[in-house]
Structure formats: C-alpha cells, structure tokens
Amino acid sequence: MIRFSNVSKIFGRDTVALENINLEIEAGEFVFLVGPSGSGKSTMVRLILKEMEPTTGAIYVRGVRLSSIPRRKIPRHRRNIGCVFQDFKLLPNKTAAENVAYAMEVTGQRRRAIRTKVPQILDLVGLSDKMDKYPDQLSGGEQQRVSIARAFVSQPPILIADEPTGNLDPDTSVGIMQLLHRINRIGTTVIVATHDKEMVDVMRKRVVALEDGRIVRDRVKGAYADEV
Ligand SMILES: Nc1ncnc2c1ncn2[C@@H]1O[C@H](COP(=O)(O)OP(=O)(O)OP(=O)(O)O)[C@@H](O)[C@H]1O
C-alpha cells in the first residue's frame, strides 16, 4: 500500500530529516509512527502526501511511484489519503455537518450523495446530535471527531493522523483512538504519527520508531519504548 525505498530527505545543506528509510505498510494495517520531536515523523507524512519530494530514494503509494505523478494529478493522489491533524483545522464559520459536506463539495460530489453521506458519517463518529454546532461550540474531542469524519467521508483507502490526540486529555484520546481503530477495522490503512506513549502502549499495534531520521525499531504488536 505504501512503500519507502531507500528514502532520504535532506533540508538545506545538511539537515538530515530522514536517512535511508525502508518501510512497507500493507493494505489494512494500523501503524504508529513514533519518535522524539524532530525525528522525522511529519516529514514522512508530507512525503506520502507528495507535499515535498525525497532527496533520494522512491516512495510508492498503491503501486504508484510518487515521483511519476505530474503536478496536475496530485489532487487525485491526495484523494486516496484522509488527513487528521493535531489542531483539527475545521472551518470556524461552518457547522460540523457543513465542515464534512464541504470536503465532499470540493471534490465535486453530488448534492444527493452529500445529503445521505454526511449524517451517516457523523453518526459513525458519534456526533449525530451535534451536527448543527459550530466548532467553538464543541469540545476538543468532538472537534477531532468532526475532523475524522471529514477525512473519512469519501472513504479513502488510507487515513493519516499526525498527532491526533496532541491537544486532548487522556480519556478523550482513548475515544479518538477507538474511532481510528474502528475505521481501520472496516478496511482502511491507518497511520498515526504520535508522541502519545500511553495510547501506543494500550493499542498494541505495529510500532515504527524513528530517531534522528532513522528507523530504530519496527514491532508488530509494539509499545512506545522497548520493553525491558
Ligand atoms: N521545511 C523544513 N525546512 C528545514 N528543515 C526542516 C523542515 N521540515 C522539517 N525540518 C527538519 O527535519 C527534521 C525532522 O522534522 P519533522 O518535522 O519531520 O520531525 P517530527 O518527528 O515530525 O517532529 P515533531 O514531533 O516535533 O512534529 C528536524 O530536524 C526539522 O527541523
């Protein structure tokens, strides 16, 4: 589903963000990308989205080498990947339902499909009763649910969450992780970049650990740190 082959990313003359990364993520996997600040997690996410090019090596998403995708086809590539961020990135002047609907509108989906799909997806994330609330009327956890609904409404095969629980308290974070787990169980490949040790340890999923731009650990049912 996603493959990094000998990928390095160097910023400027000598900031090595990633060094010779080899990684394969299969369809349907749930993978945590962990590591200290500056270890290269966000750079990997940005490379997958083709927001930047690797300095050397190749990245494949669903069998397509990203360097072969012309600029005009990047939006189509990104439609394969739902994105969730730490700061939610909701539009403040739109309700929960309108935020989700907007994501469908910009990809040109029909009004009828939008009318059916939006309530369904808000139900899936447990927000049926808050559809008409604006982001500032919702808690952090609820806003993150809206942003997950928005990322998932067109059912992309891949969902990437960059520090999705970074602004949430532990109880709320558990709910968000359970939701990502549910989305994974219905067949979506889920990648979560995080510092959230507790969450990683509870979930017992594949853990890929980065340090200074290198993969230092890759465990099938891992914990945030090596067990002693
Ligand atoms: N656009 C950029 N220009 C220059 N250096 C960059 C750029 N983006 C990232 N870096 C550097 O690359 C390295 C990896 O950064 P990256 O953001 O991928 O780390 P991270 O693991 O996501 O960190 P955090 O957990 O703090 O988000 C860091 O040394 C960072 O300073």
Side-chain angles (χ1 to χ4, degrees):
M1 181 61 98
I2 296 174
R3 185 153 71 92
F4 280 67
S5 174
N6 300 311
V7 171
S8 295
K9 178 69 186 176
I10 299 162
F11 290 106
R13 287 166 62 110
D14 53 8
T15 304
V16 181
L18 294 174
E19 193 175 342
N20 200 30
I21 297 291
N22 286 289
L23 178 69
E24 182 137 14
I25 296 173
E26 305 284 353
E29 274 198 276
F30 188 120
V31 182
F32 281 115
L33 213 51
V34 306
S37 183
S39 57
K41 304 181 297 294
S42 302
T43 301
M44 284 186 73
V45 170
R46 298 187 63 196
L47 286 169
I48 294 168
L49 290 166
K50 198 172 160 74
E51 285 180 8
M52 50 167 82
E53 297 298 326
T55 309
T56 57
I59 298 154
Y60 301 81
V61 174
R62 308 181 85 207
V64 177
R65 187 179 170 136
L66 297 191
S67 60
S68 73
I69 299 177
R71 188 180 289 263
R72 69 176 195 288
K73 290 196 174 155
I74 293 177
R76 188 197 289 176
H77 161 64
R78 292 196 184 137
R79 285 207 280 279
N80 288 317
I81 307 165
C83 284
V84 174
F85 304 96
Q86 175 170 1
D87 57 358
F88 322 133
K89 296 194 194 298
L90 298 175
L91 297 168
N93 57 344
K94 289 189 186 288
T95 64
E98 287 165 355
N99 263 282
V100 177
Y102 185 67
M104 294 183 78
E105 285 160 17
V106 295
T107 58
Q109 299 191 51
R110 288 174 186 279
R111 233 196 266 172
R112 226 169 109 189
I114 296 176
R115 264 206 304 269
T116 341
K117 204 69 219 253
V118 170
Q120 279 173 3
I121 199 86
L122 284 167
D123 187 40
L124 175 83
V125 303
L127 280 183
S128 296
D129 54 339
K130 307 253 161 108
M131 283 196 352
D132 299 322
K133 302 276 186 221
Y134 288 89
D136 66 0
Q137 299 173 310
L138 297 170
S139 70
E142 288 166 347
Q143 289 182 59
Q144 192 58 297
R145 284 171 189 273
V146 177
S147 91
I148 292 171
R150 180 182 56 184
F152 192 60
V153 71
S154 302
Q155 274 164 318
I158 302 165
L159 189 86
I160 298 184
D162 198 354
E163 213 64 70
T165 57
N167 283 329
L168 307 175
D169 62 53
D171 284 350
T172 313
S173 299
V174 170
I176 293 298
M177 281 298 167
Q178 283 169 344
L179 180 55
L180 292 174
H181 185 224
R182 257 168 78 194
I183 285 175
N184 171 243
R185 277 208 317 249
I186 48 185
T188 318
T189 306
V190 174
I191 301 169
V192 181
T194 187
H195 287 115
D196 197 333
K197 179 179 183 313
E198 249 173 88
M199 223 44 63
V200 173
D201 290 349
V202 167
M203 298 287 287
R204 290 277 143 184
K205 297 290 185 187
R206 180 176 175 192
V207 177
V208 174
L210 286 171
E211 262 172 42
D212 295 332
R214 289 191 219 171
I215 295 179
V216 292
R217 208 152 35 85
D218 186 351
R219 298 269 190 279
V220 178
K221 283 188 180 168
Y224 192 94
D226 252 332
E227 280 117 303
V228 280

